[in-house]
Amino acid sequence: ETGVTQTPRHLVMGMTNKKSLKCEQHLGHNAMYWYKQSAKKPLELMFVYNFKEQTENNSVPSRFSPECPNSSHLFLHLHTLQPEDSALYLCASSQDRGAGTGELFFGEGSRLTVL
Amino acid sequence: GQNIDQPTEMTATEGAIVQINCTYQTSGFNGLFWYQQHAGEAPTFLSYNVLDGLEEKGRFSSFLSRSKGYSYLLLKELQMKDSASYLCAVQKTSYDKVIFGPGTSLSVIP
């Protein structure tokens, strides 16, 4: 139990569907992140939020739309995805955006399959 | 550009010692992290090195040489539960994103 909870753990969707991934952290952290983990590839940072404000968008396609209503919750809205978007999507939090002296706390991820 | 390299896979025997290397080339350096990720689970923090030298934490130690762009994670008295992926990650500045390496999949055999 890392204090970061992601739902759903598994999701299968068609290319025309709209779905959302949810992340909630109970650690009192100010920064939240979305990472993509594909087989045989390094973890890729997608988005960073610090105090509910988006501070980084790592050239992510617009079919991925993040939302951060408060410092404890982070969503990733998905629409018209492609099969190559199938991956493990990890949410993480840290005390602040830099995580310079602290670590990232990860959720267990949402395994997404796009048919 | 940024580049972080790690061996893809390693195998070691239960009770032995294993060293997992990480080399990096980044345009700046603020610190280096090691994370452990068991299959199907979240990555968890192992260590953070800012200064050169060895940091020891129980059975795990992490070494950093900033001049060489090199780090290693040393695991002693290996246990079967140490079978996992080990991720090296570099942060360029204290307010910059963390860049992850490809990870090393370690298999511990009896």
XYZ file of all heavy atoms in Angstrom, chain B:
857
model
N 20.775 15.665 -25.689
C 19.669 14.812 -25.305
C 19.973 14.074 -24.021
O 21.052 14.216 -23.456
N 19.020 13.290 -23.580
C 19.187 12.509 -22.362
C 19.293 11.037 -22.705
O 18.567 10.545 -23.573
C 17.972 12.715 -21.444
C 18.086 13.934 -20.555
C 17.990 15.242 -21.318
O 18.919 16.029 -21.292
N 16.884 15.450 -21.987
N 20.144 10.324 -22.033
C 20.290 8.902 -22.264
C 20.653 8.215 -20.958
O 21.593 8.633 -20.276
C 21.368 8.633 -23.316
C 21.344 7.195 -23.762
O 20.290 6.648 -24.027
N 22.505 6.582 -23.835
N 19.911 7.189 -20.620
C 20.194 6.384 -19.432
C 20.216 4.930 -19.858
O 19.265 4.453 -20.492
C 19.120 6.593 -18.337
C 19.043 8.063 -17.936
C 19.428 5.728 -17.125
C 17.929 8.381 -16.957
N 21.303 4.247 -19.540
C 21.466 2.849 -19.940
C 21.574 1.917 -18.743
O 22.247 2.245 -17.758
C 22.723 2.674 -20.792
C 22.516 3.211 -22.203
O 21.420 2.990 -22.750
O 23.439 3.846 -22.733
N 20.923 0.774 -18.868
C 21.013 -0.290 -17.875
C 21.002 -1.613 -18.628
O 20.440 -1.689 -19.721
C 19.780 -0.288 -16.957
C 19.506 0.947 -16.168
C 18.225 0.793 -15.344
O 17.273 1.545 -15.502
N 18.205 -0.195 -14.454
N 21.582 -2.654 -18.041
C 21.448 -3.967 -18.676
C 19.978 -4.374 -18.663
O 19.242 -4.054 -17.737
C 22.296 -4.884 -17.803
C 22.440 -4.162 -16.508
C 22.376 -2.708 -16.813
N 19.552 -5.081 -19.695
C 18.145 -5.456 -19.811
C 17.750 -6.520 -18.800
O 16.710 -6.417 -18.146
C 17.857 -5.968 -21.224
O 18.239 -4.980 -22.165
C 16.372 -6.281 -21.389
N 18.601 -7.535 -18.689
C 18.285 -8.660 -17.801
C 19.529 -9.112 -17.063
O 20.643 -9.020 -17.592
C 17.735 -9.841 -18.620
C 16.405 -9.573 -19.290
C 15.933 -10.755 -20.121
O 16.766 -11.608 -20.483
O 14.729 -10.830 -20.400
N 19.334 -9.620 -15.849
C 20.411 -10.236 -15.075
C 19.832 -11.409 -14.296
O 18.654 -11.393 -13.918
C 21.039 -9.224 -14.101
C 21.709 -8.035 -14.768
S 22.505 -6.920 -13.594
C 23.910 -7.907 -13.102
N 20.693 -12.390 -14.064
C 20.304 -13.541 -13.255
C 21.353 -13.739 -12.172
O 22.548 -13.613 -12.448
C 20.196 -14.810 -14.117
O 19.218 -14.596 -15.148
C 19.765 -15.997 -13.274
N 20.910 -14.022 -10.956
C 21.845 -14.242 -9.856
C 21.272 -15.318 -8.941
O 20.069 -15.624 -8.977
C 22.071 -12.950 -9.091
N 22.155 -15.880 -8.126
C 21.784 -16.993 -7.259
C 21.399 -16.507 -5.875
O 21.989 -15.558 -5.347
C 22.951 -17.988 -7.148
O 23.347 -18.386 -8.463
C 22.540 -19.216 -6.347
N 20.430 -17.145 -5.308
C 19.984 -16.838 -3.947
C 21.176 -16.849 -2.991
O 22.030 -17.750 -3.052
C 18.953 -17.879 -3.510
C 18.204 -17.558 -2.238
C 17.138 -18.594 -1.920
O 17.150 -19.665 -2.567
O 16.292 -18.329 -1.050
N 21.275 -15.823 -2.149
C 22.373 -15.725 -1.202
C 23.583 -14.985 -1.717
O 24.476 -14.605 -0.939
N 23.639 -14.769 -3.019
C 24.798 -14.114 -3.631
C 24.663 -12.596 -3.591
O 23.723 -12.045 -3.001
C 24.946 -14.596 -5.078
N 25.645 -11.930 -4.224
C 25.644 -10.473 -4.360
C 25.511 -10.145 -5.843
O 26.137 -10.801 -6.686
C 26.952 -9.864 -3.820
C 27.114 -10.170 -2.337
C 26.982 -8.353 -4.057
C 28.472 -9.737 -1.772
N 24.731 -9.124 -6.170
C 24.602 -8.708 -7.562
C 24.732 -7.192 -7.650
O 24.292 -6.470 -6.749
C 23.269 -9.185 -8.181
C 22.090 -8.426 -7.602
C 23.283 -9.025 -9.697
N 25.375 -6.735 -8.714
C 25.552 -5.301 -8.936
C 24.850 -4.921 -10.235
O 25.151 -5.478 -11.299
C 27.039 -4.965 -9.037
C 27.333 -3.499 -9.327
C 28.813 -3.193 -9.281
O 29.513 -3.545 -8.330
N 29.315 -2.531 -10.308
N 23.940 -3.987 -10.170
C 23.204 -3.519 -11.344
C 23.711 -2.128 -11.693
O 23.622 -1.202 -10.884
C 21.689 -3.476 -11.071
C 21.177 -4.848 -10.664
C 20.946 -2.983 -12.313
C 19.712 -4.871 -10.245
N 24.258 -1.998 -12.880
C 24.874 -0.744 -13.290
C 23.914 0.166 -14.037
O 22.976 -0.296 -14.695
C 26.087 -1.018 -14.184
C 27.186 -1.750 -13.454
O 27.396 -1.536 -12.263
N 27.883 -2.624 -14.160
N 24.202 1.456 -13.947
C 23.421 2.462 -14.662
C 24.380 3.559 -15.112
O 25.145 4.082 -14.307
C 22.345 3.043 -13.747
S 21.466 4.481 -14.406
N 24.371 3.871 -16.390
C 25.156 4.995 -16.891
C 24.207 6.018 -17.470
O 23.157 5.664 -18.029
C 26.171 4.555 -17.958
O 25.467 3.915 -19.036
C 27.187 3.592 -17.389
N 24.578 7.280 -17.319
C 23.668 8.321 -17.777
C 24.427 9.449 -18.444
O 25.586 9.717 -18.119
C 22.819 8.852 -16.621
C 23.612 9.512 -15.519
C 23.899 10.878 -15.556
C 24.079 8.775 -14.441
C 24.626 11.483 -14.554
C 24.815 9.371 -13.433
C 25.092 10.725 -13.493
O 25.827 11.321 -12.496
N 23.759 10.076 -19.383
C 24.256 11.287 -20.041
C 23.091 12.252 -20.101
O 22.141 12.036 -20.858
C 24.756 10.972 -21.459
C 25.974 10.083 -21.516
C 26.312 9.677 -22.959
O 25.445 9.216 -23.687
N 27.553 9.858 -23.343
N 23.141 13.264 -19.267
C 22.060 14.240 -19.236
C 22.651 15.638 -19.250
O 23.821 15.829 -18.887
C 21.186 14.064 -17.981
O 22.005 14.157 -16.808
C 20.493 12.703 -17.980
N 21.848 16.606 -19.622
C 22.334 17.978 -19.754
C 22.469 18.665 -18.402
O 22.942 19.795 -18.335
C 21.402 18.778 -20.658
O 20.065 18.654 -20.226
N 22.057 18.010 -17.345
C 22.212 18.534 -15.996
C 22.069 17.368 -15.033
O 21.654 16.265 -15.423
N 22.426 17.583 -13.783
C 22.286 16.489 -12.813
C 22.000 17.062 -11.444
O 22.738 17.908 -10.932
C 23.566 15.644 -12.765
C 23.461 14.494 -11.791
C 22.864 13.306 -12.172
C 23.926 14.619 -10.489
C 22.744 12.249 -11.281
C 23.809 13.571 -9.584
C 23.226 12.385 -9.983
N 20.897 16.579 -10.838
C 20.558 16.981 -9.482
C 20.544 15.790 -8.539
O 20.747 15.958 -7.342
C 19.190 17.670 -9.452
C 18.862 18.246 -8.092
O 19.513 19.179 -7.635
N 17.879 17.658 -7.435
N 20.298 14.616 -9.074
C 20.239 13.445 -8.219
C 19.838 12.215 -9.010
O 19.333 12.311 -10.143
N 20.096 11.064 -8.424
C 19.788 9.793 -9.086
C 18.998 8.901 -8.144
O 19.359 8.746 -6.974
C 21.085 9.100 -9.524
C 20.928 7.826 -10.371
C 22.025 7.757 -11.431
C 20.932 6.585 -9.510
N 17.918 8.337 -8.678
C 17.044 7.466 -7.907
C 17.185 6.014 -8.382
O 17.466 5.747 -9.542
C 15.567 7.850 -8.120
C 15.175 9.212 -7.637
C 15.366 10.326 -8.432
C 14.592 9.369 -6.398
C 14.976 11.588 -8.000
C 14.184 10.623 -5.952
C 14.386 11.736 -6.757
N 16.943 5.094 -7.469
C 16.712 3.695 -7.810
C 15.338 3.299 -7.277
O 14.995 3.598 -6.130
C 17.771 2.777 -7.210
C 19.081 2.794 -7.927
C 20.189 3.526 -7.617
C 19.430 2.017 -9.079
N 21.196 3.268 -8.510
C 20.760 2.339 -9.420
C 18.749 1.083 -9.870
C 21.430 1.752 -10.499
C 19.403 0.506 -10.947
C 20.728 0.842 -11.252
N 14.573 2.620 -8.149
C 13.257 2.105 -7.780
C 13.218 0.607 -8.061
O 13.891 0.112 -8.963
C 12.141 2.770 -8.597
C 11.821 4.188 -8.187
C 12.572 5.257 -8.681
C 10.783 4.463 -7.317
C 12.289 6.558 -8.310
C 10.485 5.762 -6.940
C 11.248 6.802 -7.443
O 10.955 8.101 -7.068
N 12.400 -0.084 -7.288
C 12.174 -1.510 -7.497
C 10.723 -1.698 -7.939
O 9.815 -1.072 -7.385
C 12.409 -2.276 -6.188
C 12.168 -3.773 -6.277
C 12.157 -4.423 -4.897
O 11.349 -4.069 -4.031
N 13.044 -5.377 -4.682
N 10.521 -2.548 -8.937
C 9.151 -2.806 -9.398
C 8.947 -4.304 -9.586
O 9.517 -4.907 -10.500
C 8.850 -2.067 -10.699
C 7.401 -2.205 -11.153
C 7.092 -1.427 -12.414
O 7.984 -1.109 -13.190
N 5.816 -1.102 -12.622
N 8.129 -4.908 -8.724
C 7.744 -6.293 -8.912
C 6.675 -6.351 -9.993
O 5.914 -5.396 -10.192
C 7.210 -6.895 -7.613
C 8.272 -7.188 -6.614
N 8.535 -6.357 -5.536
C 9.149 -8.220 -6.517
C 9.528 -6.868 -4.832
N 9.924 -7.991 -5.396
N 6.616 -7.482 -10.674
C 5.666 -7.665 -11.768
C 4.248 -7.378 -11.291
O 3.796 -7.921 -10.284
C 5.769 -9.080 -12.321
N 3.555 -6.515 -12.023
C 2.171 -6.205 -11.698
C 1.986 -5.282 -10.519
O 0.846 -5.081 -10.062
N 3.093 -4.703 -10.024
C 2.985 -3.829 -8.857
C 3.557 -2.445 -9.155
O 4.171 -2.209 -10.193
C 3.708 -4.456 -7.663
C 3.096 -5.765 -7.218
C 3.768 -6.333 -5.971
O 4.541 -5.609 -5.320
O 3.518 -7.508 -5.661
N 3.350 -1.534 -8.208
C 3.864 -0.174 -8.351
C 5.373 -0.133 -8.126
O 5.899 -0.878 -7.295
C 3.180 0.742 -7.332
N 6.096 0.724 -8.829
C 7.500 0.956 -8.494
C 7.594 1.527 -7.079
O 6.767 2.364 -6.690
C 7.952 1.997 -9.518
C 6.972 1.900 -10.639
C 5.672 1.516 -10.002
N 8.590 1.094 -6.327
C 8.787 1.624 -4.977
C 10.210 2.143 -4.841
O 11.154 1.569 -5.381
C 8.514 0.563 -3.898
O 9.325 -0.583 -4.163
C 7.064 0.155 -3.875
N 10.350 3.214 -4.097
C 11.618 3.908 -3.917
C 12.616 3.050 -3.147
O 12.286 2.436 -2.129
C 11.335 5.207 -3.165
C 12.546 5.954 -2.712
C 13.226 6.792 -3.577
C 12.997 5.851 -1.403
C 14.342 7.509 -3.157
C 14.099 6.560 -0.975
C 14.769 7.402 -1.849
N 13.852 3.014 -3.640
C 14.918 2.314 -2.928
C 15.961 3.297 -2.381
O 16.369 3.190 -1.233
C 15.620 1.316 -3.857
C 14.845 0.072 -4.265
C 15.688 -0.758 -5.239
C 14.469 -0.755 -3.047
N 16.421 4.214 -3.254
C 17.517 5.085 -2.821
C 17.573 6.347 -3.652
O 16.995 6.416 -4.755
C 18.849 4.352 -2.922
O 19.154 4.083 -4.272
N 18.285 7.327 -3.117
C 18.484 8.593 -3.798
C 19.901 9.059 -3.509
O 20.281 9.210 -2.344
C 17.470 9.623 -3.294
C 17.607 11.007 -3.865
C 17.463 11.231 -5.222
C 17.854 12.103 -3.043
C 17.578 12.505 -5.754
C 17.970 13.377 -3.568
C 17.829 13.574 -4.918
O 17.927 14.840 -5.443
N 20.693 9.256 -4.553
C 22.083 9.710 -4.414
C 22.236 11.099 -5.024
O 21.823 11.320 -6.170
C 23.035 8.748 -5.120
C 23.141 7.403 -4.441
O 22.193 6.627 -4.461
N 24.289 7.127 -3.843
N 22.843 11.988 -4.251
C 23.138 13.327 -4.744
C 24.660 13.534 -4.861
O 25.149 14.074 -5.843
C 22.550 14.399 -3.805
C 22.934 15.792 -4.276
C 21.041 14.261 -3.727
N 25.359 13.048 -3.853
C 26.810 13.207 -3.805
C 27.497 11.906 -4.182
O 26.915 10.824 -4.077
C 27.242 13.632 -2.410
C 26.614 14.930 -1.897
C 27.047 15.189 -0.447
C 26.988 16.102 -2.791
N 28.752 12.017 -4.602
C 29.538 10.828 -4.932
C 29.704 9.945 -3.706
O 29.824 10.428 -2.584
C 30.926 11.243 -5.432
C 30.885 11.869 -6.810
O 29.813 11.877 -7.429
O 31.941 12.364 -7.262
N 29.732 8.665 -3.954
C 30.002 7.735 -2.874
C 28.924 6.683 -2.743
O 28.026 6.561 -3.574
N 29.061 5.929 -1.693
C 28.191 4.783 -1.444
C 27.200 5.094 -0.329
O 27.577 5.565 0.733
C 29.062 3.575 -1.046
C 28.371 2.226 -0.915
C 27.894 1.746 -2.285
C 29.319 1.212 -0.289
N 25.937 4.806 -0.586
C 24.881 4.934 0.420
C 24.387 3.528 0.743
O 23.943 2.818 -0.142
C 23.709 5.765 -0.121
C 24.054 7.201 -0.460
C 23.890 8.115 0.731
O 23.307 7.675 1.737
O 24.353 9.265 0.650
N 24.468 3.151 2.008
C 24.066 1.808 2.386
C 22.763 1.839 3.160
O 22.564 2.680 4.048
C 25.159 1.148 3.245
C 26.466 0.973 2.483
C 27.501 0.183 3.254
O 27.311 -1.035 3.419
O 28.483 0.784 3.691
N 21.893 0.898 2.795
C 20.605 0.805 3.468
C 20.240 -0.673 3.564
O 19.623 -1.245 2.685
C 19.544 1.569 2.662
C 18.230 1.780 3.379
C 17.191 2.436 2.464
C 17.531 3.862 2.131
N 16.444 4.529 1.363
N 20.660 -1.302 4.631
C 20.381 -2.714 4.822
C 21.097 -3.562 3.789
O 22.298 -3.405 3.567
N 20.365 -4.424 3.111
C 20.980 -5.287 2.114
C 21.259 -4.555 0.798
O 21.965 -5.060 -0.064
C 20.071 -6.493 1.825
C 19.885 -7.472 2.965
C 19.180 -8.742 2.510
N 17.837 -8.482 2.000
C 17.469 -8.673 0.728
N 18.351 -9.118 -0.159
N 16.230 -8.434 0.342
N 20.683 -3.373 0.661
C 20.836 -2.626 -0.585
C 21.801 -1.452 -0.376
O 21.731 -0.753 0.634
C 19.483 -2.090 -1.058
C 18.503 -3.134 -1.521
C 18.749 -4.485 -1.351
C 17.321 -2.754 -2.132
C 17.845 -5.446 -1.784
C 16.406 -3.708 -2.574
C 16.669 -5.048 -2.396
N 22.666 -1.223 -1.363
C 23.550 -0.063 -1.360
C 23.510 0.559 -2.741
O 23.351 -0.152 -3.745
C 24.987 -0.476 -1.047
O 25.082 -1.124 0.194
N 23.690 1.869 -2.803
C 23.732 2.539 -4.098
C 24.959 3.439 -4.141
O 25.276 4.129 -3.185
C 22.460 3.345 -4.349
O 22.236 4.273 -3.321
N 25.628 3.392 -5.285
C 26.871 4.140 -5.479
C 26.683 5.147 -6.606
O 25.979 4.877 -7.586
C 28.007 3.176 -5.836
C 29.283 3.872 -6.243
C 30.176 4.333 -5.287
C 29.576 4.071 -7.589
C 31.336 4.984 -5.668
C 30.737 4.724 -7.975
C 31.620 5.180 -7.004
N 27.344 6.288 -6.475
C 27.265 7.320 -7.509
C 28.639 7.907 -7.777
O 29.387 8.210 -6.836
C 26.316 8.442 -7.080
C 26.220 9.645 -8.021
C 25.580 9.255 -9.350
C 25.452 10.783 -7.368
N 28.954 8.071 -9.069
C 30.109 8.845 -9.500
C 29.605 9.858 -10.520
O 29.300 9.505 -11.668
C 31.175 7.949 -10.136
O 32.172 8.753 -10.751
N 29.506 11.102 -10.110
C 28.967 12.125 -11.009
C 29.921 12.422 -12.161
O 29.505 12.662 -13.290
C 28.670 13.408 -10.230
C 27.486 13.270 -9.274
C 27.319 14.501 -8.417
N 28.497 14.734 -7.590
C 28.688 15.820 -6.866
N 27.778 16.789 -6.863
N 29.767 15.961 -6.126
N 31.224 12.360 -11.896
C 32.183 12.670 -12.954
C 32.138 11.624 -14.061
O 32.405 11.925 -15.225
C 33.595 12.771 -12.376
O 33.979 11.538 -11.794
N 31.789 10.406 -13.710
C 31.738 9.330 -14.702
C 30.322 9.086 -15.225
O 30.132 8.256 -16.117
C 32.285 8.033 -14.103
C 33.760 8.105 -13.741
C 34.265 6.768 -13.182
C 35.751 6.867 -12.842
N 36.275 5.606 -12.245
N 29.335 9.767 -14.669
C 27.966 9.523 -15.093
C 27.553 8.085 -14.843
O 26.986 7.418 -15.715
N 27.839 7.602 -13.653
C 27.722 6.170 -13.381
C 27.173 5.932 -11.979
O 27.512 6.624 -11.027
C 29.111 5.547 -13.511
C 29.263 4.135 -13.000
C 28.634 3.079 -13.633
C 30.052 3.864 -11.890
C 28.790 1.777 -13.176
C 30.217 2.578 -11.423
C 29.584 1.528 -12.077
O 29.741 0.250 -11.623
N 26.297 4.949 -11.895
C 25.764 4.519 -10.613
C 25.611 3.010 -10.621
O 25.516 2.388 -11.687
C 24.397 5.176 -10.363
O 23.767 4.655 -9.206
N 25.623 2.418 -9.462
C 25.223 1.017 -9.379
C 24.406 0.772 -8.121
O 24.529 1.489 -7.124
C 26.417 0.057 -9.457
C 27.395 0.096 -8.309
C 27.089 -0.429 -7.047
C 28.675 0.638 -8.496
C 28.000 -0.395 -6.005
C 29.591 0.674 -7.458
C 29.261 0.152 -6.220
O 30.171 0.187 -5.199
N 23.586 -0.246 -8.213
C 22.797 -0.722 -7.082
C 23.363 -2.086 -6.706
O 23.492 -2.969 -7.563
C 21.330 -0.856 -7.465
C 20.357 -1.299 -6.371
C 20.233 -0.205 -5.302
C 18.985 -1.608 -6.965
N 23.735 -2.242 -5.454
C 24.326 -3.484 -4.980
C 23.335 -4.180 -4.052
O 22.868 -3.582 -3.083
C 25.631 -3.184 -4.228
C 26.534 -4.355 -3.912
C 27.158 -4.882 -5.203
C 27.633 -3.943 -2.928
N 23.003 -5.406 -4.385
C 22.086 -6.179 -3.567
C 22.848 -7.349 -2.955
O 23.421 -8.180 -3.671
C 20.917 -6.726 -4.393
C 19.877 -5.744 -4.938
C 20.420 -4.930 -6.097
C 18.624 -6.482 -5.335
N 22.856 -7.420 -1.643
C 23.574 -8.487 -0.939
C 22.603 -9.536 -0.413
O 21.406 -9.263 -0.246
C 24.350 -7.895 0.246
C 25.335 -6.810 -0.126
C 25.976 -6.225 1.131
C 26.859 -5.044 0.800
N 27.413 -4.404 2.029
N 23.141 -10.713 -0.141
C 22.339 -11.804 0.447
C 20.994 -11.936 -0.286
O 19.923 -11.860 0.321
C 22.105 -11.539 1.936
C 23.384 -11.398 2.746
C 23.122 -10.887 4.162
O 21.963 -10.927 4.621
O 24.083 -10.407 4.794
N 21.098 -12.126 -1.580
C 19.912 -12.136 -2.417
C 18.853 -13.117 -1.929
O 19.163 -14.243 -1.503
C 20.271 -12.481 -3.861
C 20.837 -11.354 -4.703
C 21.314 -11.883 -6.049
C 19.793 -10.254 -4.889
N 17.618 -12.678 -2.029
C 16.483 -13.509 -1.689
C 15.585 -13.636 -2.922
O 15.622 -12.795 -3.824
C 15.700 -12.882 -0.520
C 16.539 -12.680 0.731
C 15.792 -11.967 1.844
O 14.585 -11.748 1.773
N 16.520 -11.579 2.889
N 14.777 -14.676 -2.932
C 13.910 -14.907 -4.092
C 13.003 -13.706 -4.330
O 12.712 -13.345 -5.474
C 13.073 -16.166 -3.888
C 13.887 -17.438 -3.702
S 14.920 -17.811 -5.136
C 13.661 -18.267 -6.321
N 12.582 -13.051 -3.258
C 11.679 -11.909 -3.389
C 12.335 -10.688 -4.036
O 11.661 -9.714 -4.368
C 11.129 -11.502 -2.020
C 12.181 -10.935 -1.068
C 11.571 -10.515 0.260
C 12.619 -9.898 1.189
N 12.038 -9.470 2.480
N 13.668 -10.752 -4.211
C 14.364 -9.649 -4.882
C 14.202 -9.716 -6.397
O 14.637 -8.791 -7.109
C 15.852 -9.658 -4.516
C 16.090 -9.425 -3.034
O 15.285 -8.709 -2.408
O 17.073 -9.973 -2.504
N 13.614 -10.785 -6.898
C 13.333 -10.873 -8.338
C 12.345 -9.761 -8.702
O 11.204 -9.745 -8.212
C 12.731 -12.234 -8.689
O 13.667 -13.265 -8.505
N 12.786 -8.845 -9.533
C 11.987 -7.666 -9.857
C 12.732 -6.878 -10.925
O 13.853 -7.220 -11.297
C 11.772 -6.788 -8.622
N 12.102 -5.803 -11.393
C 12.795 -4.846 -12.254
C 13.348 -3.723 -11.393
O 12.703 -3.286 -10.441
C 11.833 -4.259 -13.297
O 11.559 -5.178 -14.310
N 14.550 -3.276 -11.738
C 15.186 -2.199 -10.993
C 15.383 -1.020 -11.950
O 16.018 -1.150 -12.991
C 16.504 -2.681 -10.384
C 16.228 -3.683 -9.282
C 16.058 -5.028 -9.580
C 16.071 -3.265 -7.965
C 15.746 -5.943 -8.580
C 15.769 -4.166 -6.964
C 15.602 -5.497 -7.277
O 15.284 -6.403 -6.287
N 14.796 0.103 -11.570
C 14.754 1.275 -12.447
C 15.696 2.348 -11.920
O 15.611 2.749 -10.757
C 13.334 1.852 -12.494
C 12.190 0.874 -12.762
C 10.849 1.609 -12.702
C 12.359 0.203 -14.105
N 16.570 2.800 -12.798
C 17.459 3.916 -12.507
C 16.805 5.173 -13.072
O 16.253 5.134 -14.183
C 18.802 3.642 -13.180
S 19.995 4.989 -13.141
N 16.842 6.274 -12.339
C 16.183 7.497 -12.813
C 17.024 8.710 -12.420
O 17.571 8.757 -11.313
C 14.779 7.610 -12.235
N 17.113 9.673 -13.310
C 17.933 10.863 -13.093
C 17.067 12.106 -13.127
O 16.161 12.230 -13.958
C 19.039 10.960 -14.176
C 19.783 12.289 -14.078
C 19.998 9.796 -14.050
N 17.374 13.026 -12.236
C 16.697 14.327 -12.227
C 17.732 15.389 -12.551
O 18.785 15.452 -11.917
C 16.059 14.592 -10.882
C 15.159 15.817 -10.857
C 14.480 16.005 -9.538
O 15.060 15.724 -8.503
N 13.245 16.478 -9.568
N 17.435 16.225 -13.534
C 18.428 17.197 -13.997
C 18.559 18.390 -13.061
O 19.653 18.884 -12.809
C 18.058 17.677 -15.398
C 18.217 16.609 -16.467
C 18.124 17.193 -17.853
C 16.771 17.801 -18.134
N 16.689 18.398 -19.491
N 17.453 18.923 -12.601
C 17.468 20.018 -11.632
C 16.440 19.698 -10.560
O 15.628 18.797 -10.734
C 17.093 21.363 -12.282
O 15.706 21.331 -12.649
C 17.945 21.635 -13.517
N 16.472 20.438 -9.469
C 15.579 20.117 -8.360
C 14.115 20.324 -8.724
O 13.236 19.809 -8.061
C 15.928 20.965 -7.128
O 15.747 22.337 -7.426
N 13.849 21.044 -9.814
C 12.469 21.274 -10.198
C 12.141 20.662 -11.556
O 11.168 21.014 -12.178
C 12.157 22.775 -10.208
C 11.102 23.131 -9.182
C 11.378 23.016 -7.830
C 9.844 23.528 -9.570
C 10.415 23.315 -6.894
C 8.863 23.833 -8.633
C 9.159 23.718 -7.295
O 8.198 24.008 -6.383
N 12.982 19.738 -11.982
C 12.805 19.134 -13.296
C 12.208 17.743 -13.173
O 12.191 17.149 -12.102
C 14.148 19.054 -14.017
C 14.010 19.108 -15.522
O 12.890 18.892 -16.033
O 15.026 19.361 -16.192
N 11.716 17.252 -14.295
C 11.149 15.920 -14.283
C 12.229 14.871 -14.083
O 13.399 15.096 -14.348
C 10.419 15.655 -15.601
C 11.312 15.676 -16.827
C 10.504 15.566 -18.097
C 11.394 15.625 -19.323
N 10.602 15.635 -20.572
N 11.784 13.720 -13.613
C 12.665 12.577 -13.422
C 12.635 11.732 -14.698
O 11.572 11.401 -15.198
C 12.200 11.742 -12.211
C 13.041 10.480 -12.094
C 12.308 12.567 -10.942
N 13.807 11.413 -15.220
C 13.913 10.610 -16.445
C 14.313 9.203 -16.053
O 15.315 9.008 -15.362
C 14.975 11.193 -17.393
C 14.645 12.655 -17.723
C 15.042 10.367 -18.676
C 15.798 13.376 -18.390
N 13.543 8.228 -16.505
C 13.788 6.842 -16.139
C 14.590 6.117 -17.210
O 14.417 6.351 -18.409
C 12.459 6.113 -15.925
C 11.823 6.406 -14.598
C 11.028 7.530 -14.426
C 12.028 5.566 -13.516
C 10.447 7.813 -13.204
C 11.452 5.838 -12.287
C 10.657 6.966 -12.126
N 15.433 5.207 -16.761
C 16.110 4.286 -17.658
C 15.175 3.139 -18.015
O 14.057 3.059 -17.502
N 15.622 2.225 -18.867
C 14.764 1.144 -19.343
C 14.480 0.070 -18.299
O 13.573 -0.737 -18.478
C 15.556 0.555 -20.515
C 16.972 0.882 -20.199
C 16.952 2.210 -19.504
N 15.256 0.058 -17.214
C 15.047 -0.942 -16.174
C 15.833 -2.219 -16.430
O 16.114 -2.590 -17.572
N 16.216 -2.872 -15.341
C 16.915 -4.157 -15.396
C 16.050 -5.195 -14.715
O 15.677 -5.030 -13.544
C 18.274 -4.078 -14.678
O 19.098 -3.115 -15.325
C 18.961 -5.438 -14.670
N 15.725 -6.239 -15.444
C 14.929 -7.330 -14.887
C 15.863 -8.329 -14.224
O 16.666 -8.985 -14.895
C 14.128 -8.001 -15.997
O 13.380 -9.076 -15.461
N 15.778 -8.455 -12.917
C 16.632 -9.370 -12.158
C 15.859 -10.628 -11.789
O 14.762 -10.551 -11.225
C 17.130 -8.690 -10.876
C 17.905 -9.572 -9.904
C 19.247 -9.996 -10.524
C 18.149 -8.860 -8.584
N 16.440 -11.753 -12.116
C 15.865 -13.040 -11.714
C 16.794 -13.683 -10.699
O 17.979 -13.871 -10.981
C 15.702 -13.964 -12.917
O 14.795 -13.420 -13.855
N 16.261 -14.027 -9.546
C 17.031 -14.718 -8.515
C 16.637 -16.190 -8.550
O 15.447 -16.518 -8.442
C 16.762 -14.128 -7.122
C 17.571 -14.888 -6.063
C 17.108 -12.645 -7.098
N 17.647 -17.050 -8.729
C 17.375 -18.480 -8.837
C 17.923 -19.223 -7.625
O 18.875 -18.761 -6.998
C 17.973 -19.044 -10.139
C 19.480 -18.792 -10.192
C 17.274 -18.423 -11.340
C 20.165 -19.400 -11.402
N 17.332 -20.359 -7.295
C 17.781 -21.112 -6.101
C 19.208 -21.621 -6.272
O 19.662 -21.873 -7.379
C 16.784 -22.268 -6.015
C 15.606 -21.838 -6.812
C 16.135 -20.940 -7.903
